[in-house]
PDB file of all heavy atoms in Angstrom:
ATOM      1  N   GLY A 133     137.861 -19.996  84.397  1.00 39.00           N
ATOM      2  CA  GLY A 133     137.907 -21.216  85.236  1.00 39.00           C
ATOM      3  C   GLY A 133     139.220 -21.386  85.950  1.00 39.00           C
ATOM      4  O   GLY A 133     139.312 -22.204  86.873  1.00 39.00           O
ATOM      5  N   ASP A 134     140.268 -20.629  85.534  1.00 40.00           N
ATOM      6  CA  ASP A 134     141.599 -20.807  86.189  1.00 40.00           C
ATOM      7  C   ASP A 134     141.695 -19.999  87.477  1.00 40.00           C
ATOM      8  O   ASP A 134     142.652 -20.191  88.196  1.00 40.00           O
ATOM      9  CB  ASP A 134     142.691 -20.407  85.238  1.00 40.00           C
ATOM     10  CG  ASP A 134     143.249 -21.592  84.455  1.00 40.00           C
ATOM     11  OD1 ASP A 134     142.526 -22.605  84.459  1.00 40.00           O
ATOM     12  OD2 ASP A 134     144.307 -21.486  83.897  1.00 40.00           O
ATOM     13  N   SER A 135     140.770 -19.104  87.731  1.00 38.00           N
ATOM     14  CA  SER A 135     140.842 -18.334  88.970  1.00 38.00           C
ATOM     15  C   SER A 135     140.588 -19.252  90.182  1.00 38.00           C
ATOM     16  O   SER A 135     140.980 -18.952  91.296  1.00 38.00           O
ATOM     17  CB  SER A 135     139.832 -17.183  88.962  1.00 38.00           C
ATOM     18  OG  SER A 135     138.530 -17.717  88.830  1.00 38.00           O
ATOM     19  N   GLN A 136     139.941 -20.359  89.946  1.00 39.00           N
ATOM     20  CA  GLN A 136     139.726 -21.337  90.978  1.00 39.00           C
ATOM     21  C   GLN A 136     140.203 -22.686  90.438  1.00 39.00           C
ATOM     22  O   GLN A 136     140.417 -22.862  89.277  1.00 39.00           O
ATOM     23  CB  GLN A 136     138.243 -21.395  91.387  1.00 39.00           C
ATOM     24  CG  GLN A 136     137.756 -20.083  91.974  1.00 39.00           C
ATOM     25  CD  GLN A 136     136.260 -20.216  92.335  1.00 39.00           C
ATOM     26  OE1 GLN A 136     135.657 -21.271  92.105  1.00 39.00           O
ATOM     27  NE2 GLN A 136     135.693 -19.143  92.875  1.00 39.00           N
ATOM     28  N   GLU A 137     140.341 -23.619  91.356  1.00 42.00           N
ATOM     29  CA  GLU A 137     140.859 -24.947  90.930  1.00 42.00           C
ATOM     30  C   GLU A 137     139.844 -25.609  90.027  1.00 42.00           C
ATOM     31  O   GLU A 137     138.636 -25.649  90.304  1.00 42.00           O
ATOM     32  CB  GLU A 137     141.076 -25.796  92.182  1.00 42.00           C
ATOM     33  CG  GLU A 137     141.768 -27.114  91.847  1.00 42.00           C
ATOM     34  CD  GLU A 137     142.103 -27.898  93.109  1.00 42.00           C
ATOM     35  OE1 GLU A 137     141.773 -27.406  94.184  1.00 42.00           O
ATOM     36  OE2 GLU A 137     142.606 -29.004  92.976  1.00 42.00           O
ATOM     37  N   ARG A 138     140.287 -26.119  88.942  1.00 44.00           N
ATOM     38  CA  ARG A 138     139.382 -26.783  87.986  1.00 44.00           C
ATOM     39  C   ARG A 138     138.853 -28.089  88.543  1.00 44.00           C
ATOM     40  O   ARG A 138     139.583 -28.842  89.173  1.00 44.00           O
ATOM     41  CB  ARG A 138     140.127 -27.117  86.683  1.00 44.00           C
ATOM     42  CG  ARG A 138     140.645 -25.904  85.952  1.00 44.00           C
ATOM     43  CD  ARG A 138     141.454 -26.344  84.736  1.00 44.00           C
ATOM     44  NE  ARG A 138     142.042 -25.194  84.028  1.00 44.00           N
ATOM     45  CZ  ARG A 138     142.889 -25.311  83.000  1.00 44.00           C
ATOM     46  NH1 ARG A 138     143.239 -26.503  82.574  1.00 44.00           N
ATOM     47  NH2 ARG A 138     143.355 -24.242  82.406  1.00 44.00           N
ATOM     48  N   SER A 139     137.559 -28.322  88.312  1.00 42.00           N
ATOM     49  CA  SER A 139     136.995 -29.526  88.878  1.00 42.00           C
ATOM     50  C   SER A 139     137.553 -30.784  88.205  1.00 42.00           C
ATOM     51  O   SER A 139     137.526 -31.862  88.769  1.00 42.00           O
ATOM     52  CB  SER A 139     135.449 -29.476  88.676  1.00 42.00           C
ATOM     53  OG  SER A 139     135.129 -29.334  87.284  1.00 42.00           O
ATOM     54  N   ASP A 140     138.029 -30.617  86.941  1.00 47.00           N
ATOM     55  CA  ASP A 140     138.556 -31.766  86.222  1.00 47.00           C
ATOM     56  C   ASP A 140     140.072 -31.836  86.305  1.00 47.00           C
ATOM     57  O   ASP A 140     140.712 -32.587  85.561  1.00 47.00           O
ATOM     58  CB  ASP A 140     138.119 -31.756  84.763  1.00 47.00           C
ATOM     59  CG  ASP A 140     138.621 -30.529  84.024  1.00 47.00           C
ATOM     60  OD1 ASP A 140     139.022 -29.554  84.672  1.00 47.00           O
ATOM     61  OD2 ASP A 140     138.604 -30.520  82.776  1.00 47.00           O
ATOM     62  N   SER A 141     140.665 -31.059  87.223  1.00 59.00           N
ATOM     63  CA  SER A 141     142.121 -31.089  87.386  1.00 59.00           C
ATOM     64  C   SER A 141     142.540 -32.511  87.827  1.00 59.00           C
ATOM     65  O   SER A 141     141.855 -33.152  88.626  1.00 59.00           O
ATOM     66  CB  SER A 141     142.529 -30.091  88.469  1.00 59.00           C
ATOM     67  OG  SER A 141     143.918 -30.084  88.644  1.00 59.00           O
ATOM     68  N   PRO A 142     143.631 -33.019  87.262  1.00 70.00           N
ATOM     69  CA  PRO A 142     144.055 -34.371  87.606  1.00 70.00           C
ATOM     70  C   PRO A 142     144.226 -34.567  89.131  1.00 70.00           C
ATOM     71  O   PRO A 142     144.669 -33.666  89.806  1.00 70.00           O
ATOM     72  CB  PRO A 142     145.412 -34.482  86.914  1.00 70.00           C
ATOM     73  CG  PRO A 142     145.379 -33.494  85.809  1.00 70.00           C
ATOM     74  CD  PRO A 142     144.556 -32.360  86.330  1.00 70.00           C
ATOM     75  N   GLU A 143     143.829 -35.744  89.592  1.00 76.00           N
ATOM     76  CA  GLU A 143     143.890 -36.019  91.032  1.00 76.00           C
ATOM     77  C   GLU A 143     145.325 -35.901  91.554  1.00 76.00           C
ATOM     78  O   GLU A 143     145.531 -35.447  92.690  1.00 76.00           O
ATOM     79  CB  GLU A 143     143.347 -37.435  91.309  1.00 76.00           C
ATOM     80  CG  GLU A 143     143.187 -37.724  92.802  1.00 76.00           C
ATOM     81  CD  GLU A 143     142.622 -39.103  93.057  1.00 76.00           C
ATOM     82  OE1 GLU A 143     143.395 -40.080  92.988  1.00 76.00           O
ATOM     83  OE2 GLU A 143     141.387 -39.162  93.266  1.00 76.00           O
ATOM     84  N   ILE A 144     146.297 -36.238  90.726  1.00 82.00           N
ATOM     85  CA  ILE A 144     147.660 -36.181  91.200  1.00 82.00           C
ATOM     86  C   ILE A 144     148.111 -34.746  91.447  1.00 82.00           C
ATOM     87  O   ILE A 144     149.109 -34.507  92.144  1.00 82.00           O
ATOM     88  CB  ILE A 144     148.619 -36.849  90.195  1.00 82.00           C
ATOM     89  CG1 ILE A 144     149.959 -37.169  90.854  1.00 82.00           C
ATOM     90  CG2 ILE A 144     148.822 -35.986  88.924  1.00 82.00           C
ATOM     91  CD1 ILE A 144     150.844 -38.102  90.065  1.00 82.00           C
ATOM     92  N   CYS A 145     147.351 -33.761  90.932  1.00 90.00           N
ATOM     93  CA  CYS A 145     147.671 -32.356  91.136  1.00 90.00           C
ATOM     94  C   CYS A 145     147.091 -31.806  92.413  1.00 90.00           C
ATOM     95  O   CYS A 145     147.109 -30.575  92.622  1.00 90.00           O
ATOM     96  CB  CYS A 145     147.246 -31.526  89.919  1.00 90.00           C
ATOM     97  SG  CYS A 145     148.042 -31.982  88.385  1.00 90.00           S
ATOM     98  N   HIS A 146     146.505 -32.641  93.227  1.00 89.00           N
ATOM     99  CA  HIS A 146     146.020 -32.274  94.527  1.00 89.00           C
ATOM    100  C   HIS A 146     146.519 -33.277  95.540  1.00 89.00           C
ATOM    101  O   HIS A 146     146.059 -34.398  95.590  1.00 89.00           O
ATOM    102  CB  HIS A 146     144.464 -32.200  94.572  1.00 89.00           C
ATOM    103  CG  HIS A 146     143.938 -31.477  95.753  1.00 89.00           C
ATOM    104  ND1 HIS A 146     144.163 -31.907  97.073  1.00 89.00           N
ATOM    105  CD2 HIS A 146     143.196 -30.335  95.868  1.00 89.00           C
ATOM    106  CE1 HIS A 146     143.597 -31.068  97.896  1.00 89.00           C
ATOM    107  NE2 HIS A 146     142.989 -30.088  97.208  1.00 89.00           N
ATOM    108  N   TYR A 147     147.547 -32.883  96.298  1.00 89.00           N
ATOM    109  CA  TYR A 147     148.298 -33.798  97.118  1.00 89.00           C
ATOM    110  C   TYR A 147     147.392 -34.607  98.069  1.00 89.00           C
ATOM    111  O   TYR A 147     147.478 -35.817  98.140  1.00 89.00           O
ATOM    112  CB  TYR A 147     149.372 -33.058  97.895  1.00 89.00           C
ATOM    113  CG  TYR A 147     150.256 -33.946  98.740  1.00 89.00           C
ATOM    114  CD1 TYR A 147     151.319 -34.604  98.186  1.00 89.00           C
ATOM    115  CD2 TYR A 147     150.041 -34.068 100.155  1.00 89.00           C
ATOM    116  CE1 TYR A 147     152.153 -35.417  98.948  1.00 89.00           C
ATOM    117  CE2 TYR A 147     150.874 -34.867 100.892  1.00 89.00           C
ATOM    118  CZ  TYR A 147     151.917 -35.532 100.301  1.00 89.00           C
ATOM    119  OH  TYR A 147     152.730 -36.357 101.059  1.00 89.00           O
ATOM    120  N   GLU A 148     146.509 -33.912  98.739  1.00 83.00           N
ATOM    121  CA  GLU A 148     145.649 -34.621  99.750  1.00 83.00           C
ATOM    122  C   GLU A 148     144.635 -35.530  99.091  1.00 83.00           C
ATOM    123  O   GLU A 148     144.349 -36.604  99.593  1.00 83.00           O
ATOM    124  CB  GLU A 148     144.972 -33.573 100.612  1.00 83.00           C
ATOM    125  CG  GLU A 148     145.940 -32.836 101.598  1.00 83.00           C
ATOM    126  CD  GLU A 148     145.173 -31.993 102.610  1.00 83.00           C
ATOM    127  OE1 GLU A 148     143.982 -31.820 102.459  1.00 83.00           O
ATOM    128  OE2 GLU A 148     145.874 -31.453 103.488  1.00 83.00           O
ATOM    129  N   LYS A 149     144.109 -35.136  97.930  1.00 81.00           N
ATOM    130  CA  LYS A 149     143.157 -35.982  97.244  1.00 81.00           C
ATOM    131  C   LYS A 149     143.776 -37.232  96.667  1.00 81.00           C
ATOM    132  O   LYS A 149     143.087 -38.219  96.401  1.00 81.00           O
ATOM    133  CB  LYS A 149     142.489 -35.192  96.103  1.00 81.00           C
ATOM    134  CG  LYS A 149     141.487 -34.121  96.616  1.00 81.00           C
ATOM    135  CD  LYS A 149     140.834 -33.431  95.432  1.00 81.00           C
ATOM    136  CE  LYS A 149     139.850 -32.355  95.921  1.00 81.00           C
ATOM    137  NZ  LYS A 149     139.219 -31.667  94.773  1.00 81.00           N
ATOM    138  N   SER A 150     145.120 -37.180  96.459  1.00 75.00           N
ATOM    139  CA  SER A 150     145.781 -38.365  95.898  1.00 75.00           C
ATOM    140  C   SER A 150     145.928 -39.493  96.955  1.00 75.00           C
ATOM    141  O   SER A 150     146.316 -40.600  96.598  1.00 75.00           O
ATOM    142  CB  SER A 150     147.143 -37.988  95.352  1.00 75.00           C
ATOM    143  OG  SER A 150     148.012 -37.550  96.378  1.00 75.00           O
ATOM    144  N   PHE A 151     145.639 -39.196  98.208  1.00 69.00           N
ATOM    145  CA  PHE A 151     145.623 -40.235  99.214  1.00 69.00           C
ATOM    146  C   PHE A 151     144.306 -40.965  99.184  1.00 69.00           C
ATOM    147  O   PHE A 151     143.270 -40.356  98.983  1.00 69.00           O
ATOM    148  CB  PHE A 151     145.826 -39.630 100.639  1.00 69.00           C
ATOM    149  CG  PHE A 151     147.246 -39.271 100.958  1.00 69.00           C
ATOM    150  CD1 PHE A 151     147.774 -38.044 100.491  1.00 69.00           C
ATOM    151  CD2 PHE A 151     148.039 -40.106 101.685  1.00 69.00           C
ATOM    152  CE1 PHE A 151     149.074 -37.688 100.773  1.00 69.00           C
ATOM    153  CE2 PHE A 151     149.342 -39.755 101.968  1.00 69.00           C
ATOM    154  CZ  PHE A 151     149.883 -38.570 101.520  1.00 69.00           C
ATOM    155  N   HIS A 152     144.342 -42.250  99.407  1.00 58.00           N
ATOM    156  CA  HIS A 152     143.099 -42.997  99.458  1.00 58.00           C
ATOM    157  C   HIS A 152     142.324 -42.685 100.713  1.00 58.00           C
ATOM    158  O   HIS A 152     142.915 -42.224 101.714  1.00 58.00           O
ATOM    159  CB  HIS A 152     143.394 -44.525  99.430  1.00 58.00           C
ATOM    160  CG  HIS A 152     144.045 -44.959  98.133  1.00 58.00           C
ATOM    161  ND1 HIS A 152     143.422 -44.920  96.945  1.00 58.00           N
ATOM    162  CD2 HIS A 152     145.312 -45.450  97.897  1.00 58.00           C
ATOM    163  CE1 HIS A 152     144.243 -45.366  95.975  1.00 58.00           C
ATOM    164  NE2 HIS A 152     145.402 -45.682  96.575  1.00 58.00           N
ATOM    165  N   LYS A 153     141.034 -42.833 100.668  1.00 56.00           N
ATOM    166  CA  LYS A 153     140.179 -42.424 101.772  1.00 56.00           C
ATOM    167  C   LYS A 153     140.587 -43.058 103.101  1.00 56.00           C
ATOM    168  O   LYS A 153     140.472 -42.468 104.138  1.00 56.00           O
ATOM    169  CB  LYS A 153     138.715 -42.778 101.462  1.00 56.00           C
ATOM    170  CG  LYS A 153     138.121 -41.938 100.335  1.00 56.00           C
ATOM    171  CD  LYS A 153     136.637 -42.285 100.117  1.00 56.00           C
ATOM    172  CE  LYS A 153     136.074 -41.407  99.031  1.00 56.00           C
ATOM    173  NZ  LYS A 153     134.615 -41.734  98.769  1.00 56.00           N
TER     174      LYS A 153
END
Side-chain angles (χ1 to χ4, degrees):
D134 266 16
S135 58
Q136 297 180 358
E137 187 176 358
R138 298 176 182 175
S139 59
D140 61 343
S141 181
E143 188 177 83
I144 197 169
C145 298
H146 195 298
Y147 184 79
E148 290 188 352
K149 288 182 179 178
S150 65
F151 282 82
H152 297 295
K153 291 183 178 179

